[in-house]
């Protein structure tokens, strides 16, 4: 079984440091769950999740926090994000449902409300093994019992999708522990390419499945940058504009 280890710092510490390095004023998180990541963010923030299960105080040191207990589709359909924050979003962290079409929709909707010099980060796109990329989490069927509780789903597909359909984006794969982070900059909030071709893209990638050979090829074709390189000045941390 092919195994890829992401040996960088934990994803929450990485996200926190990226938000600070961007000098972000506004932050959006989809897939808040227990609030463990959101609580570490200090700037004004929006949190979206269909079922909050807070184990910490998500407000932390924030001056303002807006929570929406609904799906991301409902949120982007019914809410005016720029009106809530009175400005575009500087940093987004997407950690919602682990099926690629949902993450693709979240990316489309997030880019639309972002600052052009902002940053969107995708979670779980660098799977450790092929088994965890199943569309439904079935730990009892896993061969690798040690990693049976890990589930990334097939959101790894966002990497080839964005590289093919949005070559204008700057896409940086980062080795955050445990299942990676994809940093996306050079955003274009006016772009409709992904929205206009959404169903074509979904049809194209729906029946592509990960196995050891596909996983190994994925890492051969996509360079993964260390967290230390990114945090020490790599231009994925370019400071947001006015």
């Amino acid at each position: 079984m092919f195994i890829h280890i992401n040996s960088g710092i934990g994803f929450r510490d990485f996200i926190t440091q990226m938000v600070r390095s961007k000098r972000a004023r506004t932050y959006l998180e989809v897939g808040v769950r227990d609030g463990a990541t959101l609580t570490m963010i200090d700037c004004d923030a929006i949190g979206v999740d269909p079922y909050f299960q807070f184990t910490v105080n998500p407000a932390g040191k924030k001056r303002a926090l807006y929570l929406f207990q609904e799906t991301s589709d409902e949120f982007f359909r019914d809410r005016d994000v720029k009106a809530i924050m009175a400005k575009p979003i500087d940093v987004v962290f997407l950690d919602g449902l682990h099926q690629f079409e949902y993450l693709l929709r979240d990316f489309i909707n997030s880019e639309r409300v972002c600052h052009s010099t902002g940053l969107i980060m995708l979670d779980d796109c660098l799977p450790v093994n092929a088994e965890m990329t199943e569309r439904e989490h079935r730990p009892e069927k896993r061969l690798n019992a040690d990693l049976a509780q890990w589930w990334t789903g097939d959101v790894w597909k966002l990497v080839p999708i964005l590289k093919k359909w949005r070559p204008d984006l700057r896409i940086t794969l980062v080795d955050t522990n445990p299942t990676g982070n994809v940093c996306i900059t050079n955003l274009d909030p006016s772009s409709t390419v992904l929205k206009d071709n959404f169903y074509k893209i979904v049809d194209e990638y729906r029946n592509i499945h990960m196995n050891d050979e596909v996983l190994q090829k994925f890492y051969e074709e996509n360079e993964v940058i260390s967290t230390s390189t990114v945090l020490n000045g790599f231009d994925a941390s370019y400071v947001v504009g006015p």
Side-chain angles (χ1 to χ4, degrees), residues 120-136:
I120 298 177
M121 292 181 283
L122 314 180
D123 194 36
D124 295 319
C125 291
L126 304 184
V128 175
N129 66 20
E131 287 189 315
M132 64 181 62
T133 67
E134 59 189 355
R135 283 179 60 83
E136 295 182 14

Side-chain angles (χ1 to χ4, degrees), residues 212-230:
D212 281 358
E213 182 180 355
V214 175
L215 182 62
Q216 188 167 1
K217 183 178 180 182
F218 176 83
Y219 285 112
E220 289 172 352
E221 294 180 345
N222 297 286
E223 180 183 11
V224 180
I225 305 297
S226 71
T227 54
S228 60
T229 297
V230 176

